[in-house]
Amino acid sequence: MFVVTAEEMRRLDRLAIEGLGLPALVLMENAGRAIAEEVLRVIRAKRGEDRRQWKGERWLVLAGKGNNGGDGLVAARHLLEAGVAVTAALVTAADRLTGEARQQAELAQRFGVPCLDASEGGELLPWQQFSGVIDALLGTGAAGAPREPYASLIRAANASGLPIVAADLASGLDADSGAAHDPCIRAERTVALAFLKRGHVTYPGALLSGQVTVAPIGIPEQLAVREKIACRFVNAATVADVLGLDPLLPRQPDTHKGTYGHVMAAAGSPAMPGAALLCVQAALRTGSGLVSWAHPESMTALAAGRIQEAMLAPLAENHAETGGLVRKDKDAPCPSVGTPASAPAQRGGWAATDPAVLAARAAKCSALVIGPGLGRWRGDTDWLRALWSMAPCPLVVDADALNMLADAADFHAWPRHPQYPAIITPHPGEMARLAKTSTPEVQRDRIGMARRFAAEHGVIVVLKGARTVTALPEGDVFINGSGNPGMATGGSGDVLAGIIASLLGQGLPGGQAAALGVYLHGAAGDRAAARRPAGEASLLAGDIIEQL
């Protein structure tokens, strides 16, 4: 399912009209009919199929002066034909409209649709007489905060308490970022015309849009393919079409554990062993044939027996970190370039392991995940730099390892074999540190932020959060539709890292592994929440693993 920007939608509209010869009036007619059908679904849900029971229904169409208003006026005509009482409130008088919108206003009046003057705003409209509202004020072409009389109409519509069906985009919503201007319509339902807009699937736009239905209006999907629209929405209905994969990960009968990859997880520390356990368990549950847990040898007693199905890969602690070079001289000074001054100088643990040894161990594996519960130490960024360049397999970089990356001024220049993708999985705070910006800036444009960083650094970015964004270096973007707020709990990200690493290890290309991993993670979270008596609030990361 394609997700477009306002500019991309304008281009596709123009190509359909000028290139394919589809008349603009036909597109508007199809759009208005789709909006009317959505309103009829609302009415049927409330009053049933018997049209005789619809007599109490009176709908108000708020019509702006552009094509969005024209769509609303077509909807009014179709509702009237279906036996629903409908009134249009025009921001601009019909004789002052231009183009298709004027034609639709004249048609609506000839068909008998009553028209009110809304040029003075919303205070004078008889809201109490209506049972629902169609918001057809401002479409994808609008920019900035709504001005009068639109602003007062939006405020009055929200205050009315009536159900609102938005035509294409809730008025006041930014089509590209999902940001809500003041004021902004709070829709119960939205009819997205032809394609989803980015504002429909990113927050707060996803919340303000209500239930979103995508309505075809005659613009062929192949046109979006031809125009290389790069952003897709992934949910249960589209995962096979969008990713070309079966989320059930079916297996052939004549296979063995070696068929399904060997994941190594470099994770955990004495203070945070649980993060490693969750990551390893998630990789196993996602279908990895083999999973090894790499850890400093001093943790072996702590790790032994915690996960019976995992293999342990203890690493000797006989090296001291020295800014990216490994020395046997433990008394050598330990530089702290790029690492917080508060990070302790360690004589054991991960600080004393050799990244070259870990890379050699990973050479026998099909994917390496690093970061969950790792901790920080002086020289850790240089330690990670060495591993990054030497590890001969796909990488998933999460948690503490992301903060090590953020401390590297030259991360964009770190060498990486093009055969082995690197997937980073930051939450918004980690993304802000990586991009040297603020968390609010990241959240203001999640798609753009992830896409730019992926292109500039040659990595796959999985920007976690509500509607997780997966961005590929080539420009493709996947927006995830699964998951719920209950997954905002400690350990959930460690589970995701293990899932993605497992899919990489099973041979999926980096982009597919990341996007499918995010979807499977969210879908498991949805199943887990549905099974909890207390719902989302009681969800634990381990519950997600049990539903994989």
Side-chain angles (χ1 to χ4, degrees):
M1 188 182 296
F2 288 103
V3 183
V4 300
T5 64
E7 176 53 38
E8 287 169 341
M9 191 66 246
R10 282 191 288 272
R11 189 167 81 244
L12 292 169
D13 263 329
R14 187 174 62 253
L15 289 171
I17 295 167
E18 298 175 3
L20 300 180
L22 273 171
L25 277 173
V26 170
L27 294 177
M28 187 171 284
E29 187 72 20
N30 292 342
R33 183 185 295 111
I35 296 162
E37 287 171 353
E38 189 66 24
V39 171
L40 292 176
R41 278 191 281 271
V42 173
I43 293 172
R44 288 190 183 100
K46 182 168 62 172
R47 298 184 181 267
E49 293 289 337
D50 188 348
R51 291 193 178 191
R52 292 173 296 181
Q53 303 300 317
W54 298 1
K55 290 183 179 178
E57 290 291 321
R58 293 193 64 190
W59 280 70
L60 176 67
V61 178
L62 301 177
K65 63 181 181 181
N67 286 345
N68 196 243
D71 296 339
L73 291 165
V74 174
R77 180 160 41 84
H78 283 283
L79 286 173
L80 194 66
E81 186 179 358
V84 177
V86 61
T87 299
L90 304 180
V91 170
T92 301
D95 59 2
R96 295 178 58 192
L97 295 172
T98 59
E100 290 79 18
R102 178 168 184 166
Q103 290 177 270
Q104 295 301 344
E106 292 171 349
L107 266 176
Q109 289 176 329
R110 287 201 293 270
F111 270 69
V113 175
C115 292
L116 303 177
D117 180 1
S119 61
E120 298 300 318
E123 290 81 2
L124 300 180
L125 295 179
W127 297 97
Q128 70 282 358
Q129 297 179 13
F130 299 103
S131 50
V133 177
I134 294 175
D135 163 34
L137 289 170
L138 299 169
T140 57
R147 297 185 292 272
E148 294 297 345
Y150 293 93
S152 65
L153 284 165
I154 292 170
R155 292 191 179 97
N158 287 336
S160 73
L162 298 172
I164 301 174
V165 175
D168 198 26
L169 190 75
S171 295
L173 186 64
D174 189 286
D176 292 348
S177 71
H181 296 294
D182 183 21
C184 182
I185 283 286
R186 297 191 299 271
E188 182 178 287
R189 301 188 183 205
T190 295
V191 182
L193 301 174
F195 302 102
L196 283 171
K197 314 307 181 290
R198 291 187 180 185
H200 293 141
V201 295
T202 53
Y203 284 90
L207 186 63
L208 294 166
S209 299
Q211 179 183 321
V212 180
T213 301
V214 181
I217 62 172
I219 300 176
E221 191 170 88
Q222 194 58 34
L223 201 59
V225 175
R226 195 184 82 188
E227 290 300 301
K228 296 182 171 55
I229 302 301
C231 194
R232 303 285 195 106
F233 186 68
V234 181
N235 60 15
T238 63
V239 64
D241 293 335
V242 172
L243 299 175
L245 299 168
D246 186 338
L248 296 179
L249 303 175
R251 296 186 168 193
Q252 297 298 318
D254 186 20
T255 55
H256 52 84
K257 63 186 177 184
T259 308
Y260 302 105
H262 185 174
V263 170
M264 176 165 283
S269 60
M272 293 177 286
L277 291 168
L278 290 167
C279 180
V280 169
Q281 286 178 310
L284 287 163
R285 283 290 186 195
T286 307
S288 292
L290 296 166
V291 178
S292 293
W293 179 5
H295 58 275
E297 59 186 356
S298 59
M299 282 186 63
T300 299
L302 180 63
R306 299 293 291 271
I307 306 177
Q308 294 177 331
E309 298 85 356
M311 297 182 292
L312 300 183
L315 302 170
E317 298 169 59
N318 55 6
H319 288 72
E321 30 68 33
T322 57
L325 299 176
V326 179
R327 295 184 184 174
K328 293 185 179 179
D329 178 8
K330 292 188 178 182
D331 294 324
C334 300
S336 57
V337 176
T339 308
S342 59
Q346 294 184 10
R347 296 303 183 194
W350 284 107
T353 62
D354 187 342
V357 172
L358 178 56
R361 296 278 187 92
K364 301 176 182 179
C365 301
S366 45
L368 171 63
V369 53
I370 182 166
L374 208 65
R376 299 294 308 272
W377 62 90
R378 279 197 285 174
D380 55 9
T381 292
D382 296 313
W383 182 95
L384 181 61
R385 180 190 286 109
L387 180 63
W388 182 279
S389 62
M390 291 186 290
C393 63
L395 278 179
V396 178
V397 183
D398 185 45
D400 290 317
L402 292 172
N403 292 321
M404 298 176 196
L405 285 183
D407 286 338
D410 60 343
F411 164 46
H412 64 281
W414 285 14
R416 183 81 190 135
H417 195 293
Q419 180 183 346
Y420 304 122
I423 301 174
I424 65 172
T425 58
H427 58 58
E430 290 163 341
M431 188 75 245
R433 290 191 284 276
L434 285 162
K436 306 298 187 286
T437 186
S438 66
T439 301
E441 281 299 310
V442 170
Q443 294 294 77
R444 255 190 283 275
D445 184 15
R446 288 169 53 81
I447 295 172
M449 180 66 67
R451 196 176 187 188
R452 287 189 297 273
F453 196 91
E456 291 169 6
H457 294 84
V459 296
I460 296 168
V461 176
V462 175
L463 178 53
K464 296 182 290 195
R467 298 287 164 85
T468 292
V469 174
T470 299
L472 279 56
E474 302 80 12
D476 292 325
V477 175
F478 300 97
I479 303 171
N480 187 56
S482 63
N484 62 81
M487 299 175 71
T489 186
S492 179
D494 305 316
V495 173
L496 176 60
I499 293 172
I500 295 174
S502 177
L503 296 174
L504 276 176
Q506 292 176 60
L508 267 64
Q512 287 184 323
L516 179 61
V518 170
Y519 170 76
L520 293 177
H521 179 250
D526 289 337
R527 290 191 293 271
R531 286 163 171 77
R532 297 296 305 169
E536 298 170 351
S538 64
L539 199 64
L540 299 178
D543 299 330
I544 301 170
I545 295 174
E546 289 304 312
Q547 296 301 322
L548 286 170

